[in-house]
């Protein structure tokens, strides 16, 4: 064996019998002079790389690769076998010159050391050269040898195709009809070709992986009803993912413009939507808001958009999620809560029922008595028409009184929508003050509002709590109505209390309450006013208690009264309990 041959087989697992093969190798070297060989090899390799770069299919690239080798080193044929390691088994990647009957046997063949040289090459990550299968002790009496020789082939060189991370992607096999060994030049060609094959296979795998990732992403977006979008601020270029098109019910591929978006956004939400867009355009602030879409069939969708500007502030990348189901579930929940709260409210008012019955009974018995008097007066031999008219007037008065009681009670306890929300008591008080500003002005009241800005939030029914505050303010106004010798000072204060509670105080400079009345203020139908019903404070107490709070009153040291309620804040263990 000469030294060149030695060099050629250095890194190969090789079967021992190759006597007389040197001649073959010299033949190649003589046929193709070195300079042309390199030139044609480079051109061929470039062509293959161009095919990969221009997106030819893996099959086409591997076919061209085999054909190139078959032309460069005549009298051989080639095959590229890919490995599916889940089997593991071989799949024919390309073998343009091998007969179908040969290829069929390779497709699905197990990757194992016993079956074929390609299995050994793949498992040992080494080139396997069997110069003459019929004389090769390793393969000569195997079914493999019989299969190869039946197709007129005698020698097989199998080289593993390795990925960048050295994993085996497949094997590259060269067959000869005569016993053969590779020259150094052929080994170089094989090295280049397997490298190009590895690039082609890895690229095709990366593309398949990308396609899988894309379809997974699309599936994920579909499942979570979340689309993505990209917005270049300077040009208003907008791109949507497939799911974004689906959410907006716009035909896939339609060019997305702000006009299109504006036609989709619910008209009531459009000003707010445009405000957010303009703000984002101005100061590249994050987007995070909800709005409604109005669909063609007239239905609405709730969508939540979140977007961040890119580091160079030229673009926004964001997601838009269809939260319609979520909102509907919330509405249903809130309705159920409202019904529960209604039941709770009604039962907590159970104590009032007796007093209500009493209050309504009085005018009713008045009506009955007056009706009998009226009949008697009219039935008399000389009907007392004037008396009957008077008793009828009393009946009317009593009837109106009963109706009034019922109407006012219905207004107070009627089943209105009840929503529980997290709210800031200072905000709630501010709204009540705004609502009462006319009354305050008319009553010449000097208002001092000390509303804490950092109040812990409370969870409750905003409208109910505002009813309580309004009632306290109205009572304070009533109490100061007859005051002329001092300023009609009214203080409304909100503050944080120990134990995670918040407190609201209404302090007036009115007539005040004496010790005896203090006990009765919150009783139903206790009123010292000529037109009073005496239910405001009773209802206020029931509302505050349903918020797990307390309400009380005290006489001021100087003049007037102070009414206070205190309820647990969101952070309170009492609230969580
Ligand atoms: P109404 O206002 O219809 O009388 P309320 O339950 O609101 O019913 O009040 C009950 C009674 O409590 C009032 O009639 C009044 O005597 C007393 N009261 C309420 N607020 C004040 C106040 N700020 N100062 C003095 N007395 C008050």
């Amino acid at each position: 064996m000469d030294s060149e041959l030695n060099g050629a087989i250095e890194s190969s697992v090789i079967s021992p019998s190759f006597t007389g093969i040197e001649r073959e190798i010299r033949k190649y070297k003589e046929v193709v002079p070195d300079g042309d060989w390199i030139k044609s090899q480079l051109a061929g390799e470039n062509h293959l790389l161009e095919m990969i770069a221009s997106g030819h299919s893996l099959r086409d690239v591997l076919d061209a690769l085999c054909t190139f080798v078959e032309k460069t080193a005549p009298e051989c044929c080639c095959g590229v076998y890919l490995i599916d390691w889940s089997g593991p088994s071989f799949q024919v990647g390309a073998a343009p010159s091998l007969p179908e009957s040969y290829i069929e046997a390779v497709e699905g063949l197990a990757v194992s050391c016993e079956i074929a040289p390609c299995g050994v090459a793949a498992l040992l990550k080494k080139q396997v050269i069997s110069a003459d299968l019929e004389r090769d002790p390793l393969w000569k009496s195997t079914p493999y040898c019989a299969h190869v020789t039946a197709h007129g082939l005698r020698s097989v060189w199998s080289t593993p195709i390795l990925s960048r991370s050295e994993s085996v992607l497949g094997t590259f096999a060269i067959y000869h009809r005569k016993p053969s060994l590779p020259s150094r030049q052929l080994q170089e060609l094989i090295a280049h070709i397997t490298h190009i094959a590895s690039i082609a296979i890895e690229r095709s795998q990366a593309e398949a992986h990308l396609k899988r990732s894309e379809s997974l992403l699309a599936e994920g977006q579909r499942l979570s009803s979340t689309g993505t979008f990209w917005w270049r601020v300077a040009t208003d270029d907008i791109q949507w993912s497939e799911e974004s098109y689906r959410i907006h019910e716009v035909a896939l591929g339609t060019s997305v413009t702000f006009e299109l978006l504006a036609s989709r956004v619910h008209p009531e939400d459009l000003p707010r939507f445009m405000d957010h867009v303009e703000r984002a355009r101005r100061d590249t602030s994050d987007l995070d808001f909800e709005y409604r879409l109005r669909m063609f069939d007239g239905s609405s969708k709730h969508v939540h958009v979140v977007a961040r500007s890119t580091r160079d502030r030229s673009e926004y990348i964001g997601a838009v999620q269809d939260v319609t189901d979520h909102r509907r579930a919330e509405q249903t929940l809130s309705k159920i809560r409202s019904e529960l709260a209604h039941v709770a409210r009604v039962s907590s008012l159970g104590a009032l029922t007796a007093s209500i019955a009493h209050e309504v009974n009085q005018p009713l018995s008045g009506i009955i008595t007056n009706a009998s008097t009226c009949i008697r007066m009219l039935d008399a031999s000389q009907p007392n028409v004037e008396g009957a008219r008077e008793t009828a007037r009393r009946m009317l008065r009593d009837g109106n009184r009963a109706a009034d009681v019922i109407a006012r009670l219905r207004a107070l306890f009627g089943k209105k929508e009840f929503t529980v929300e997290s709210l800031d008591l200072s905000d709630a008080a501010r709204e009540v003050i705004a609502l009462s500003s006319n009354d305050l002005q008319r009553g010449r009241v000097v208002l001092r509002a000390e509303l804490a800005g950092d109040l812990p939030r409370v969870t409750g029914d905003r409208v109910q709590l505002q009813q309580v505050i309004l009632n306290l303010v109205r009572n304070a106004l009533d109490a100061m109505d007859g005051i002329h010798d001092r300023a009609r000072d009214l203080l409304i204060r909100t503050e944080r209390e120990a134990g995670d509670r918040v407190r609201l105080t209404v302090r007036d400079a009115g007539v005040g309450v004496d010790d005896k009345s203090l006990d009765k203020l919150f009783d139903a139908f206790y009123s010292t006013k000529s037109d009073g019903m005496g239910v405001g404070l009773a209802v206020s107490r029931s509302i505050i208690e349903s918020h797990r709070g307390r309400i009380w009153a005290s006489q001021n040291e100087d003049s007037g009264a102070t009414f206070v309620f205190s309820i647990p804040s969101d952070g309170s263990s009492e609230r969580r309990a």
Side-chain angles (χ1 to χ4, degrees):
M1 196 194 314
D2 69 20
S3 61
E4 187 174 333
L5 190 62
N6 252 337
I9 60 171
E10 233 167 36
S11 63
S12 311
V13 174
I14 188 164
S15 303
S17 53
F18 46 84
T19 335
I21 291 168
E22 296 94 303
R23 233 182 310 117
E24 292 292 321
I25 297 151
R26 288 210 181 87
K27 201 171 97 195
Y28 289 136
K29 288 177 75 181
E30 281 152 21
V31 170
V32 187
D34 274 0
D36 289 350
W37 170 284
I38 293 166
K39 244 169 126 182
S40 71
Q41 192 176 325
L42 272 176
E45 286 174 13
N46 277 342
H47 175 63
L48 292 171
L49 289 170
E50 273 166 20
M51 281 183 83
I52 298 172
S54 58
H56 278 71
S57 71
L58 181 62
R59 178 100 212 180
D60 283 355
V61 175
L62 297 181
D63 265 349
L65 184 141
C66 289
T67 310
F68 168 62
V69 175
E70 287 166 2
K71 272 192 195 145
T72 314
E75 294 179 38
C76 73
C77 49
C78 308
V80 177
Y81 308 120
L82 308 173
I83 296 178
D84 172 5
W85 283 105
S86 62
S89 63
F90 285 106
Q91 287 157 1
V92 179
S97 307
L98 285 167
E100 198 58 40
S101 57
Y102 187 92
I103 295 168
E104 270 171 14
V106 181
E107 191 69 52
L109 193 72
V111 178
S112 107
C113 280
E114 291 78 41
I115 299 174
C118 279
V120 182
L123 293 169
L124 299 185
K125 289 193 190 175
K126 279 207 153 199
Q127 189 180 52
V128 174
I129 292 177
S130 182
D132 185 353
L133 281 166
E134 282 182 7
R135 293 194 313 176
D136 190 323
L138 213 58
W139 305 105
K140 65 180 176 190
S141 13
T142 61
Y144 173 75
C145 180
H147 179 69
V148 176
T149 52
H151 287 86
L153 303 169
R154 281 286 290 277
S155 103
V156 179
W157 315 334
S158 180
T159 311
I161 302 169
L162 299 177
S163 72
R164 269 169 301 177
S165 59
E166 300 273 297
S167 64
V168 181
L169 301 167
T171 56
F172 175 59
I174 302 184
Y175 307 84
H176 285 87
R177 296 188 176 276
K178 292 180 193 159
S180 312
L181 269 179
S183 66
R184 183 186 288 277
Q185 276 176 323
L186 266 177
Q187 282 291 40
E188 264 174 31
L189 175 65
I190 291 169
H192 285 209
I193 286 302
T194 49
H195 180 59
I196 293 172
S198 79
I199 295 173
I201 297 169
E202 281 200 292
R203 181 169 180 141
S204 142
Q205 286 180 346
E207 272 168 12
H209 183 73
L210 198 73
K211 276 196 192 121
R212 233 182 358 257
S213 307
E214 274 174 4
S215 74
L216 272 175
L217 188 69
E219 184 63 10
Q221 292 201 358
R222 207 181 56 74
L223 283 173
S224 64
S225 303
T226 307
T228 45
F229 67 87
W230 170 91
W231 166 33
R232 179 179 283 276
V233 181
T235 56
D236 271 352
D237 273 347
I238 301 172
Q239 273 177 26
W240 275 352
S241 72
E242 220 173 279
E243 186 60 16
S244 293
Y245 277 101
R246 205 194 59 74
I247 291 173
H248 290 84
E249 293 178 15
V250 169
L252 203 66
T254 308
S255 112
V256 186
T257 58
F258 274 107
E259 287 75 53
L260 175 77
L261 269 167
S263 72
R264 273 282 179 260
V265 176
H266 196 291
E268 285 172 16
D269 293 353
L270 189 58
R272 201 165 49 85
F273 176 86
M274 291 317 286
D275 263 8
H276 280 285
V277 171
E278 287 314 319
R279 201 175 320 137
R281 215 191 277 285
R282 233 179 13 249
D283 54 18
T284 60
S285 53
D286 291 349
L287 288 171
D288 187 348
F289 65 101
E290 260 188 53
Y291 58 95
R292 284 167 302 162
L293 297 176
R294 198 181 50 187
M295 312 324 292
F296 282 127
D297 63 0
S299 63
S300 292
K301 271 187 189 178
H302 292 258
V303 291
H304 185 178
V305 66
V306 183
R308 307 265 174 279
S309 81
T310 50
R311 203 172 286 173
D312 66 0
R313 300 176 164 226
S314 64
E315 292 163 11
Y316 270 89
I317 295 170
V320 53
Q321 186 175 27
D322 182 349
V323 291
T324 312
D325 289 347
H326 195 67
R327 288 289 157 271
R328 284 207 187 115
E330 266 181 7
Q331 275 163 12
T332 314
L333 199 67
S334 144
K335 212 167 156 214
I336 293 168
R337 274 203 202 115
S338 154
E339 271 158 17
L340 278 177
H342 175 71
V343 171
R345 199 153 32 128
V346 166
S347 45
S348 74
L349 292 171
L352 283 178
T353 317
S355 320
I356 292 167
H358 171 73
E359 196 70 7
V360 178
N361 258 342
Q362 263 186 343
L364 276 182
S365 33
I367 290 168
I368 293 165
T369 315
N370 284 318
S372 355
T373 314
C374 185
I375 291 167
R376 224 179 27 250
M377 285 174 168
L378 291 174
D379 278 353
S381 50
Q382 279 190 344
N384 180 352
V385 177
E386 194 41 47
R389 192 175 283 129
E390 180 51 35
T391 48
R393 263 194 218 107
R394 272 190 228 139
M395 278 192 279
L396 213 59
R397 183 203 63 199
D398 286 348
N400 281 336
R401 188 161 167 222
D404 196 33
V405 170
I406 302 286
R408 290 176 76 174
L409 288 174
R410 278 184 67 164
L412 281 165
F413 308 132
K415 184 168 171 278
K416 294 185 201 123
E417 280 299 312
F418 181 89
T419 40
V420 175
E421 58 181 304
S422 169
L423 59 104
D424 182 332
L425 205 57
S426 293
D427 284 347
R430 214 168 278 125
E431 283 172 21
V432 172
I433 292 169
L435 210 70
S436 317
S437 63
N438 280 343
D439 291 346
L440 293 170
Q441 238 171 3
R442 212 175 302 120
R444 295 193 304 281
V445 168
V446 184
L447 173 73
R448 202 167 89 220
E450 293 178 3
L451 304 176
D454 60 344
L455 216 53
R457 297 181 79 79
V458 297
T459 297
D461 185 320
R462 171 183 286 267
V463 175
Q464 282 197 356
L465 289 174
Q466 287 182 327
Q467 266 178 13
V468 174
I469 304 170
L470 192 64
N471 192 42
L472 297 182
V473 171
R474 292 250 158 94
N475 278 346
L477 284 176
D478 288 346
M480 294 195 287
D481 197 31
I483 304 298
H484 301 286
D485 60 342
R486 55 179 181 266
R488 296 178 180 184
D489 288 330
L490 176 66
L491 166 75
I492 302 178
R493 179 194 292 141
T494 55
E495 63 201 306
R496 182 194 289 257
E497 246 188 13
D500 279 329
R501 297 174 73 86
V502 290
R503 167 191 282 231
L504 184 137
T505 304
V506 177
R507 185 183 197 277
D508 62 53
V511 290
V513 270
D514 57 38
D515 284 353
K516 268 197 280 165
S517 316
L518 269 179
D519 297 339
K520 298 185 215 146
L521 291 181
F522 296 94
D523 288 350
F525 303 110
Y526 171 79
S527 177
T528 55
K529 301 170 192 170
S530 56
D531 59 345
M533 270 270 291
V535 287
L537 285 179
V539 170
S540 296
R541 183 166 64 181
S542 125
I543 290 174
I544 294 303
E545 283 175 357
S546 74
H547 284 77
R548 297 172 190 247
R550 276 187 327 115
I551 185 165
W552 66 94
S554 57
Q555 168 66 23
N556 297 338
E557 272 177 13
D558 41 6
S559 55
T562 298
F563 284 75
V564 183
F565 72 77
S566 146
I567 51 176
S569 71
D570 284 354
S572 153
S573 54
E574 216 174 315
R575 162 65 57 198
R576 285 194 300 268

